[in-house]
Amino acid sequence: MSVVATASRMAALHAAAFPAPWDAPAFEALLNQPGVLVFEQAEGFILIRLVADEAEILTLAVHPAARRRGLGARLVHLAVSTAADLGATRLFLEVADDNTAARGLYDRTGFAEAGRRPAYYARPDGSRRDALIMALTLPVTLP
């Protein structure tokens, strides 16, 4: 499968999942960077980047119709285990402070708040929300 086709699929799914989605060229640029990995399912994907002994979840998207069925948790667990297998000792992510579903998933996985970016996420109505920086020390035993 080509990077362009993968980027297009990811952009379409991201648009269904988020109010301010990333476009296909943004995904294509990320997929062409060293250390970037994507794990796709029909109704969701997770994109991670590994640099030295650290990893970051760049984005996790699950189609709204497929939520609350465990797909997000399976993708996060895959990212955690892959990052650990590839030598990462910490895994980071950013999440909007008002995204209670995602925060619950990350809390259940063992992530802890490590910082905050005030007014980081812009909303379509012009408001802004803080980004929580969360971290997980690897390796970890997942629930």
Side-chain angles (χ1 to χ4, degrees), residues 54-103:
E54 292 186 347
E56 177 184 12
I57 295 175
L58 299 172
T59 191
L60 166 65
V62 174
H63 193 282
R67 291 180 180 161
R68 311 296 303 170
R69 297 184 195 157
L71 176 57
R74 288 191 303 275
L75 289 167
V76 169
H77 289 183
L78 182 57
V80 168
S81 63
T82 300
D85 289 348
L86 293 174
T89 59
R90 290 194 47 159
L91 178 60
F92 294 90
L93 62 87
E94 292 177 357
V95 62
D97 66 351
D98 64 344
N99 188 340
T100 56
R103 289 181 60 192

Coordinates of all heavy atoms in Angstrom, one line a residue, residues 54-103:
E54 N 12.8 7.5 23.6 CA 11.5 8.1 23.8 C 10.6 7.8 22.7 O 11.0 7.8 21.5 CB 11.6 9.6 24.1 CG 12.3 9.9 25.4 CD 12.3 11.3 25.8 OE1 11.9 12.2 24.9 OE2 12.6 11.7 27.0
A55 N 9.3 7.7 23.0 CA 8.3 7.6 21.9 C 7.2 8.5 22.2 O 7.0 8.9 23.4 CB 7.8 6.1 21.9
E56 N 6.4 8.8 21.2 CA 5.3 9.7 21.3 C 4.1 9.2 20.5 O 4.3 8.8 19.4 CB 5.6 11.1 20.9 CG 4.5 12.1 20.9 CD 4.9 13.5 20.4 OE1 5.9 13.6 19.7 OE2 4.1 14.4 20.5
I57 N 2.9 9.2 21.1 CA 1.7 8.9 20.3 C 1.4 10.3 19.7 O 1.0 11.2 20.4 CB 0.6 8.4 21.2 CG1 0.9 7.0 21.8 CG2 -0.7 8.4 20.4 CD1 -0.1 6.5 22.8
L58 N 1.4 10.3 18.4 CA 1.2 11.6 17.7 C -0.3 11.8 17.5 O -0.8 12.9 17.6 CB 1.8 11.5 16.3 CG 3.3 11.4 16.3 CD1 3.9 11.2 14.9 CD2 3.9 12.6 16.9
T59 N -1.1 10.7 17.2 CA -2.5 10.8 17.2 C -3.1 9.4 17.3 O -2.5 8.4 16.8 CB -3.0 11.6 15.9 OG1 -4.4 11.8 16.1 CG2 -2.8 10.8 14.7
L60 N -4.3 9.3 17.8 CA -5.1 8.1 17.8 C -6.5 8.5 17.4 O -7.1 9.5 17.9 CB -5.2 7.6 19.3 CG -6.2 6.5 19.6 CD1 -6.0 5.3 18.8 CD2 -6.3 6.3 21.1
A61 N -7.0 7.8 16.3 CA -8.3 8.2 15.8 C -9.1 6.9 15.7 O -8.7 5.9 15.2 CB -8.2 8.8 14.4
V62 N -10.3 6.9 16.2 CA -11.3 5.9 16.1 C -12.6 6.5 15.6 O -13.0 7.5 16.1 CB -11.5 5.2 17.5 CG1 -12.7 4.1 17.4 CG2 -10.3 4.5 18.0
H63 N -13.1 5.9 14.5 CA -14.3 6.4 13.9 C -15.4 6.5 15.0 O -15.6 5.5 15.8 CB -14.8 5.5 12.8 CG -15.9 6.2 12.0 ND1 -17.2 6.2 12.4 CD2 -15.8 6.8 10.8 CE1 -17.9 6.9 11.5 NE2 -17.1 7.2 10.5
P64 N -16.2 7.5 15.1 CA -17.2 7.7 16.1 C -18.2 6.5 16.2 O -18.6 6.1 17.3 CB -18.0 8.9 15.7 CG -17.0 9.8 15.0 CD -16.1 8.8 14.3
A65 N -18.5 5.9 15.1 CA -19.4 4.7 15.1 C -18.8 3.5 15.8 O -19.5 2.5 16.1 CB -19.9 4.4 13.7
A66 N -17.5 3.5 15.9 CA -16.8 2.3 16.4 C -16.2 2.5 17.8 O -15.6 1.6 18.4 CB -15.6 1.9 15.5
R67 N -16.6 3.6 18.4 CA -16.1 3.9 19.8 C -16.8 3.1 20.8 O -17.9 2.6 20.6 CB -16.2 5.4 20.1 CG -15.3 6.2 19.2 CD -15.4 7.7 19.5 NE -14.5 8.4 18.6 CZ -14.6 9.7 18.4 NH1 -15.6 10.4 18.9 NH2 -13.7 10.3 17.6
R68 N -16.1 3.0 22.0 CA -16.6 2.2 23.2 C -16.7 0.7 22.9 O -17.4 0.0 23.5 CB -18.0 2.8 23.6 CG -18.1 4.3 23.7 CD -17.3 4.9 24.8 NE -17.5 4.4 26.1 CZ -16.8 4.7 27.2 NH1 -15.8 5.5 27.0 NH2 -17.0 4.2 28.3
R69 N -15.8 0.2 22.0 CA -15.7 -1.2 21.7 C -14.4 -1.8 22.0 O -14.1 -2.9 21.6 CB -16.2 -1.5 20.3 CG -17.6 -1.1 20.0 CD -17.9 -1.5 18.6 NE -19.1 -0.8 18.1 CZ -19.5 -0.6 16.9 NH1 -18.7 -1.0 15.9 NH2 -20.6 0.0 16.6
G70 N -13.5 -1.0 22.5 CA -12.1 -1.5 22.9 C -11.1 -1.3 21.8 O -9.9 -1.6 22.1
L71 N -11.4 -0.7 20.6 CA -10.4 -0.5 19.6 C -9.3 0.4 20.0 O -8.1 0.2 19.8 CB -11.1 -0.1 18.3 CG -10.1 0.2 17.1 CD1 -9.2 -0.9 16.8 CD2 -10.9 0.7 15.9
G72 N -9.7 1.6 20.6 CA -8.7 2.5 21.1 C -7.8 1.9 22.1 O -6.5 2.1 22.0
A73 N -8.3 1.1 23.0 CA -7.4 0.5 24.0 C -6.5 -0.5 23.3 O -5.3 -0.6 23.7 CB -8.2 -0.3 25.1
R74 N -7.0 -1.3 22.4 CA -6.1 -2.2 21.7 C -5.0 -1.5 20.9 O -3.8 -1.9 20.9 CB -6.9 -3.1 20.7 CG -7.8 -4.1 21.4 CD -8.4 -5.2 20.5 NE -9.2 -4.6 19.4 CZ -10.5 -4.3 19.5 NH1 -11.1 -4.4 20.7 NH2 -11.1 -3.8 18.5
L75 N -5.3 -0.4 20.3 CA -4.3 0.4 19.6 C -3.3 1.0 20.5 O -2.1 1.0 20.2 CB -5.0 1.5 18.7 CG -5.7 1.0 17.5 CD1 -6.6 2.1 16.9 CD2 -4.8 0.4 16.4
V76 N -3.7 1.5 21.7 CA -2.8 2.1 22.6 C -1.9 1.0 23.2 O -0.7 1.2 23.3 CB -3.5 2.8 23.8 CG1 -2.6 3.1 24.9 CG2 -4.2 4.1 23.3
H77 N -2.4 -0.2 23.5 CA -1.6 -1.3 24.0 C -0.6 -1.7 22.9 O 0.6 -2.0 23.3 CB -2.5 -2.5 24.4 CG -3.3 -2.2 25.6 ND1 -4.1 -3.2 26.2 CD2 -3.4 -1.1 26.4 CE1 -4.7 -2.7 27.3 NE2 -4.2 -1.5 27.4
L78 N -1.0 -1.7 21.7 CA 0.0 -2.0 20.6 C 1.1 -1.0 20.5 O 2.3 -1.3 20.4 CB -0.8 -2.1 19.3 CG 0.1 -2.5 18.0 CD1 0.8 -3.8 18.2 CD2 -0.8 -2.5 16.8
A79 N 0.8 0.3 20.7 CA 1.8 1.3 20.7 C 2.7 1.2 21.8 O 3.9 1.3 21.7 CB 1.1 2.7 20.7
V80 N 2.2 0.9 23.0 CA 3.0 0.7 24.2 C 3.9 -0.4 24.1 O 5.1 -0.3 24.3 CB 2.1 0.5 25.5 CG1 2.9 0.1 26.7 CG2 1.3 1.8 25.8
S81 N 3.4 -1.6 23.7 CA 4.3 -2.8 23.5 C 5.3 -2.6 22.4 O 6.5 -3.0 22.6 CB 3.5 -4.0 23.3 OG 2.8 -4.0 22.1
T82 N 5.0 -2.0 21.3 CA 5.9 -1.7 20.2 C 7.0 -0.8 20.7 O 8.2 -1.0 20.4 CB 5.2 -1.2 19.0 OG1 4.2 -2.2 18.6 CG2 6.2 -0.9 17.9
A83 N 6.6 0.3 21.3 CA 7.6 1.3 21.8 C 8.6 0.6 22.7 O 9.8 0.8 22.6 CB 6.9 2.5 22.4
A84 N 8.1 -0.2 23.7 CA 9.0 -0.8 24.6 C 9.9 -1.8 23.9 O 11.1 -1.9 24.2 CB 8.1 -1.6 25.7
D85 N 9.3 -2.6 23.0 CA 10.1 -3.6 22.2 C 11.2 -2.9 21.4 O 12.3 -3.5 21.2 CB 9.2 -4.4 21.2 CG 8.3 -5.4 22.0 OD1 8.5 -5.6 23.2 OD2 7.4 -5.9 21.3
L86 N 11.0 -1.7 21.0 CA 12.0 -1.0 20.2 C 12.9 -0.1 21.0 O 13.7 0.7 20.5 CB 11.3 -0.1 19.1 CG 10.6 -0.9 18.1 CD1 9.8 0.0 17.1 CD2 11.5 -1.7 17.2
G87 N 12.9 -0.3 22.4 CA 13.8 0.3 23.3 C 13.4 1.6 23.9 O 14.2 2.2 24.6
A88 N 12.2 2.1 23.7 CA 11.7 3.3 24.4 C 11.6 3.0 25.9 O 11.1 2.0 26.3 CB 10.4 3.8 23.8
T89 N 12.0 4.0 26.7 CA 11.8 3.9 28.1 C 10.7 4.8 28.6 O 10.2 4.7 29.8 CB 13.1 4.3 28.9 OG1 13.5 5.6 28.6 CG2 14.2 3.3 28.5
R90 N 10.2 5.7 27.8 CA 9.0 6.6 28.1 C 8.2 6.8 26.9 O 8.8 6.9 25.8 CB 9.5 7.9 28.7 CG 10.1 7.7 30.1 CD 10.2 8.9 30.9 NE 9.1 9.8 30.9 CZ 8.8 10.7 31.8 NH1 9.6 10.9 32.8 NH2 7.8 11.5 31.7
L91 N 6.9 6.9 27.1 CA 6.0 7.1 26.0 C 5.2 8.3 26.4 O 4.6 8.4 27.5 CB 5.1 5.9 25.7 CG 4.0 6.0 24.7 CD1 4.6 6.3 23.3 CD2 3.2 4.7 24.7
F92 N 5.1 9.3 25.5 CA 4.4 10.6 25.7 C 3.2 10.7 24.8 O 3.1 10.1 23.8 CB 5.3 11.8 25.5 CG 6.5 11.9 26.5 CD1 7.7 11.2 26.2 CD2 6.3 12.6 27.7 CE1 8.7 11.3 27.1 CE2 7.4 12.6 28.6 CZ 8.6 12.0 28.3
L93 N 2.3 11.6 25.2 CA 1.2 12.0 24.3 C 0.6 13.3 24.8 O 1.0 13.7 25.9 CB 0.1 10.9 24.3 CG -0.6 10.6 25.7 CD1 -1.8 11.5 25.9 CD2 -1.1 9.2 25.7
E94 N -0.1 13.9 24.0 CA -0.9 15.2 24.4 C -2.3 14.9 24.1 O -2.7 14.3 23.1 CB -0.4 16.4 23.6 CG 1.0 16.8 23.9 CD 1.5 17.9 23.0 OE1 0.7 18.4 22.1 OE2 2.6 18.4 23.3
V95 N -3.2 15.4 25.0 CA -4.6 15.2 24.9 C -5.3 16.5 25.4 O -4.8 17.1 26.4 CB -5.1 13.9 25.7 CG1 -4.8 14.0 27.2 CG2 -6.6 13.6 25.4
A96 N -6.4 16.8 24.8 CA -7.2 18.0 25.2 C -7.7 17.7 26.6 O -8.2 16.6 26.9 CB -8.3 18.3 24.2
D97 N -7.7 18.7 27.5 CA -8.1 18.5 28.9 C -9.6 18.2 29.0 O -10.0 17.6 30.0 CB -7.7 19.7 29.7 CG -8.4 21.0 29.3 OD1 -9.1 21.1 28.3 OD2 -8.3 22.0 30.1
D98 N -10.4 18.5 27.9 CA -11.8 18.2 28.0 C -12.2 16.9 27.3 O -13.4 16.6 27.1 CB -12.6 19.4 27.4 CG -12.3 19.7 25.9 OD1 -11.3 19.2 25.4 OD2 -13.1 20.4 25.3
N99 N -11.2 16.2 26.8 CA -11.5 14.9 26.1 C -11.5 13.8 27.1 O -10.6 13.1 27.3 CB -10.4 14.7 25.0 CG -10.7 13.5 24.2 OD1 -11.5 12.6 24.5 ND2 -10.1 13.4 23.0
T100 N -12.7 13.7 27.8 CA -12.8 12.8 28.9 C -12.7 11.3 28.5 O -12.1 10.5 29.3 CB -14.1 13.0 29.7 OG1 -15.2 12.9 28.8 CG2 -14.1 14.4 30.3
A101 N -13.1 11.0 27.4 CA -13.0 9.6 26.9 C -11.6 9.2 26.7 O -11.1 8.1 27.2 CB -13.8 9.3 25.6
A102 N -10.8 10.0 26.0 CA -9.4 9.7 25.8 C -8.6 9.7 27.1 O -7.8 8.9 27.3 CB -8.8 10.7 24.8
R103 N -8.9 10.7 27.9 CA -8.2 10.8 29.2 C -8.5 9.5 30.1 O -7.6 9.0 30.7 CB -8.6 12.0 30.0 CG -8.0 13.3 29.3 CD -8.4 14.6 30.0 NE -7.9 14.5 31.4 CZ -8.2 15.3 32.4 NH1 -9.1 16.3 32.1 NH2 -7.7 15.2 33.6

